[in-house]
Amino acid sequence: MNLLLLGRGKTGSLVAEVAAEHKHHTRIVGAKDNIGCAALTAENLAPFDTVIDFTAPHCVLSHIEACVKAGKNMVVGTTGWYKEMDHVRKLVEQHRTGFIFGPNFSIGVNLFFDIARIAATALNHDYSGQIFERHHAHKADAPSGTAIAIQRLIRESADAHEPLEITSFREGEVVGLHEVVFESAADRIYLCHDAKSRRGFAEGAIRTAEWLLGKKGFYDFKDVWREL
Ligand SMILES: NC(=O)c1ccc[n+]([C@@H]2O[C@H](COP(=O)([O-])OP(=O)(O)OC[C@H]3O[C@@H](n4cnc5c(N)ncnc54)[C@H](OP(=O)(O)O)[C@@H]3O)[C@@H](O)[C@H]2O)c1
């Protein structure tokens, strides 16, 4: 594939490495080459099959709008824009492109989502729930998109309407740690996913781009990771 990768930060640079291992051609664009979406004109986008975005919450929506309007398929790993989900879904449907997003492209985290979904039953049996997440000090958004996804799926899976608070910690170079704790008067249940590196995100993003090739529609990674 011919990939345009937006963001040469911690995750984007690793995505570029994995793309090269998978024998894809990649052009990587950072912030200073893309002021006001300068890199995302229809002409500049023409040679690419898919655009992959690992940038920042403040600019991702403008990238999505430019790429979808130009008819390009997109894999969006950047978080912090989900309040605009309906707007983006309509745009994708209107322009008949392929679009996939996910707060976390790691297979392990998506397995963890399934485990949390099953454990959510605890809320129907006198347990209360809490979510804790730790990330590196430079992370722009809090709570993390992954923690919000865990909160949503537990609420959807349990009949009870517990508050399910998220507590965020920002420290050092922590890649991404998510804990779910269910507590009753009798005991505690701890669930934990601890990312050792960004490799899982990068592998997932490239395999997702390969899966999306030639497809149209609006997809959530949690619904398709089993097919990768
Ligand atoms: N879905 C997943 O699996 C997953 C995994 C990890 C991270 N993420 C999300 O991905 C995003 C990036 O994370 P990160 O840890 O890689 O952040 P990061 O290290 O801060 O990298 C972000 C990069 O985006 C660049 N950038 C900013 N504005 C841009 C623009 N308009 N055009 C092109 N590049 C631009 C920045 O360039 P400069 O350095 O030049 O400013 C920076 O290099 C965050 O939202 C994070 O939550 C998602």
Side-chain angles (χ1 to χ4, degrees):
M1 282 191 292
N2 204 5
L3 300 172
L4 178 64
L5 179 52
L6 301 178
R8 52 170 87 240
K10 290 180 285 299
T11 317
S13 41
L14 198 53
V15 173
E17 270 179 49
V18 174
E21 289 166 18
H22 285 228
K23 313 284 181 220
H24 300 305
H25 299 283
T26 307
R27 182 172 171 229
I28 184 162
V29 166
K32 73 173 177 0
D33 309 314
N34 194 29
I35 294 163
C37 294
L40 306 180
T41 61
E43 192 186 358
N44 286 344
L45 288 170
F48 299 103
D49 298 304
T50 302
V51 181
I52 302 180
D53 193 304
F54 279 94
T55 60
H58 73 269
C59 57
V60 60
L61 194 62
S62 61
H63 300 167
I64 292 172
E65 287 174 343
C67 295
V68 173
K69 283 178 185 169
K72 286 294 144 185
N73 278 11
M74 277 194 100
V75 174
V76 177
T78 308
T79 51
W81 59 273
Y82 297 160
K83 287 188 184 122
E84 301 296 333
M85 188 82 76
D86 286 347
H87 163 65
V88 171
R89 184 196 301 268
K90 279 183 199 136
L91 203 65
V92 167
E93 284 165 3
Q94 188 186 343
H95 292 273
R96 302 172 61 79
T97 62
F99 184 97
I100 185 160
F101 72 95
N104 202 309
F105 285 129
S106 127
I107 299 293
V109 162
N110 283 273
L111 273 169
F112 185 71
F113 287 165
D114 280 0
I115 294 165
R117 218 174 260 123
I118 293 166
T121 313
L123 295 183
N124 302 339
H125 297 275
D126 294 331
Y127 285 79
S128 61
Q130 267 185 296
I131 298 167
F132 300 94
E133 58 105 346
R134 280 172 204 276
H135 282 86
H136 53 87
H138 332 281
K139 185 166 172 63
D141 51 329
S144 69
T146 302
I148 294 169
I150 293 169
Q151 184 188 52
R152 191 182 319 117
L153 69 87
I154 290 177
R155 279 186 179 151
E156 285 168 3
S157 308
D159 300 334
H161 297 283
E162 286 289 324
L164 212 64
E165 189 184 325
I166 301 175
T167 306
S168 301
F169 301 92
R170 296 289 172 263
E171 60 191 30
E173 297 301 325
V174 181
V175 177
L177 187 145
H178 292 88
E179 288 175 295
V180 183
V181 180
F182 293 107
E183 174 148 4
S184 75
D187 56 8
R188 276 190 205 99
I189 302 167
Y190 295 97
L191 308 176
C192 179
H193 180 276
D194 188 3
K196 288 159 72 179
S197 78
R198 291 184 169 76
R199 181 87 201 174
F201 309 138
E203 280 281 353
I206 291 301
R207 286 168 64 188
T208 301
E210 291 164 352
W211 178 90
L212 191 65
L213 188 66
K215 289 193 176 66
K216 305 284 166 221
F218 184 85
Y219 302 96
D220 184 333
F221 183 76
K222 77 174 165 47
D223 300 322
V224 305
W225 66 270
R226 290 172 190 78
E227 296 175 33
L228 298 182

